[in-house]
Amino acid sequence: MSDYHKFRPLLTAELADVCDQWLAAQPLKAEFEQRLWQRLRLEWNYNSNHIEGNTLTYGETLLLLIHGRTRGEHLLREYEEMRGHDVAIEYLRSLAKEERMIGEGDIRDLNRIVLKEGFWRIAETVDGNPTRRWIEPGEYKTAPNHVITATGELFHFATSEETPAKMAEFCHWLTEQIEQPQQELMQLLAEIHHRFIAIHPFDDGNGRVVRLLLNYVLLRLELLPLIIQTSRRRSYLDAIAMADSGDLQPLAQFLEQSLLWSMQLGVRAAGELVELEELQR
């Protein structure tokens, strides 16, 4: 049985209404459900990778994942990233159906699937000197990582020495939060995002993995995955920055709007074949 009933009293009225409509519409006609998931997969793969710098267009993503063909001049790694992320989505869907909760090994597997194979990446030291770092999929970081904020300041994540213990703590906390909800669903998703990104356990792929984790929770509740549109990347990053400063509410509100889009698409898909590509793309 889904844990949705545990979270239902904690949802906002608008979100509760559309989620109730979605669940009441189950089961969908097979062809409608298949088309819905094709659209969600395309949106999820395209947007999550594009946010991180992948240059495939939505149309090229559709061509690659639905028809198995390529078009355009892109790095081979970009095609492989898109395929790998698509496999990660299917793996995540299978994890969400299991009775056991997701664990550290599963999260490392998600990173391994998303990145697919190791590679060298240009980086810089804390002192700002150029360097080169080997990225090993599925392995926790072995060196410090950081990001330069909009103000030019360095924002440091958990150290490599702290990471294993912090990830064990994160997984234990996540299990407790899902089994015994203590806060509104979107607030929980915002906190999951914030806690994971603050650790930044991997040398690459952290953003894609945390968005997979958010959707793991939603899929366990038999809801649909939220899609963070690349067109809203600036608002997304601003909300993350607010969370880093201690205010999770903007991120929770941002994630709710992203989920509403998916749920409304799902409700529409209960009565018709949804389009795979919007005309304005």
Side-chain angles (χ1 to χ4, degrees):
M1 180 180 178
S2 165
D3 288 327
Y4 173 72
H5 68 284
K6 297 179 182 178
F7 285 93
R8 174 64 174 77
L10 304 175
L11 297 180
T12 62
E14 183 180 14
L15 184 57
D17 180 60
V18 72
C19 289
D20 289 348
Q21 289 182 56
W22 162 253
L23 293 172
Q26 303 308 304
L28 271 61
K29 290 176 61 175
E31 61 179 325
F32 289 1
E33 182 175 21
Q34 180 184 24
R35 177 64 69 86
L36 171 63
W37 268 101
Q38 283 181 329
R39 173 66 184 276
L40 289 171
R41 279 175 48 222
L42 288 170
E43 293 281 354
W44 192 350
N45 282 306
Y46 165 71
N47 284 287
S48 197
N49 280 292
H50 199 266
I51 284 171
E52 304 299 334
N54 191 293
T55 62
L56 267 71
T57 66
Y58 183 89
E60 289 167 342
T61 302
L62 187 156
L63 191 66
L64 176 69
L65 299 181
I66 302 299
H67 302 290
R69 297 169 54 200
T70 60
R71 183 182 67 199
E73 296 182 1
H74 303 279
L75 296 175
L76 176 61
R77 174 157 191 82
E78 294 187 289
Y79 294 108
E80 294 303 312
E81 281 179 345
M82 202 65 79
R83 289 193 183 99
H85 192 273
D86 192 48
V87 173
I89 288 175
E90 292 308 308
Y91 178 58
L92 188 82
R93 292 180 69 186
S94 69
L95 286 176
K97 294 176 183 177
E98 295 185 11
E99 186 173 343
R100 71 175 181 89
M101 291 294 298
I102 195 169
E104 278 189 81
D106 303 310
I107 294 174
R108 292 172 68 163
D109 283 343
L110 285 171
N111 182 261
R112 185 177 295 111
I113 295 168
V114 164
L115 297 184
K116 200 159 185 178
E117 60 184 14
F119 62 97
W120 287 102
R121 187 178 70 183
I122 302 299
E124 65 177 38
T125 65
V126 176
D127 299 328
N129 296 316
T131 187
R132 195 170 69 140
R133 179 178 297 172
W134 176 255
I135 307 300
E136 186 62 39
E139 297 297 326
Y140 289 150
K141 61 190 175 187
T142 57
N145 53 3
H146 59 272
V147 66
I148 300 176
T149 69
T151 62
E153 298 293 324
L154 282 180
F155 183 87
H156 294 277
F157 304 113
T159 67
S160 55
E161 292 80 11
E162 296 171 328
T163 293
K166 284 187 174 293
M167 283 302 296
E169 179 184 348
F170 171 82
C171 289
H172 178 72
W173 170 83
L174 179 59
T175 296
E176 288 186 332
Q177 292 296 314
I178 294 176
E179 292 181 344
Q180 299 294 330
Q182 300 296 318
Q183 55 185 319
E184 194 273 325
L185 177 59
M186 304 319 299
Q187 198 73 21
L188 171 59
L189 295 184
E191 189 168 352
I192 290 170
H193 193 293
H194 173 64
R195 284 178 177 244
F196 186 88
I197 291 301
I199 301 171
H200 236 71
F202 304 108
D203 282 318
D204 195 33
N206 293 288
R208 282 164 287 184
V209 170
V210 77
R211 291 187 287 275
L212 286 162
L213 288 178
L214 299 183
N215 286 330
Y216 167 79
V217 176
L218 294 171
L219 292 174
R220 277 189 69 91
L221 301 181
E222 297 182 359
L223 302 179
L224 294 173
L226 64 83
I227 309 295
I228 297 176
Q229 304 283 347
T230 187
S231 61
R232 302 183 67 206
R233 183 176 185 271
R234 184 69 264 164
S235 297
Y236 176 45
L237 295 179
D238 288 345
I240 292 173
M242 291 294 290
D244 290 340
S245 68
D247 184 3
L248 291 175
Q249 194 57 31
L251 183 56
Q253 292 172 345
F254 179 90
L255 295 176
E256 179 168 357
Q257 290 303 310
S258 299
L259 178 56
L260 279 169
W261 181 89
S262 298
M263 297 307 302
Q264 289 163 354
L265 179 69
V267 170
R268 182 158 62 86
E272 65 183 54
L273 281 173
V274 296
E275 65 282 359
L276 289 184
E277 185 171 11
E278 294 179 352
L279 295 178
Q280 64 265 31
R281 287 190 189 273

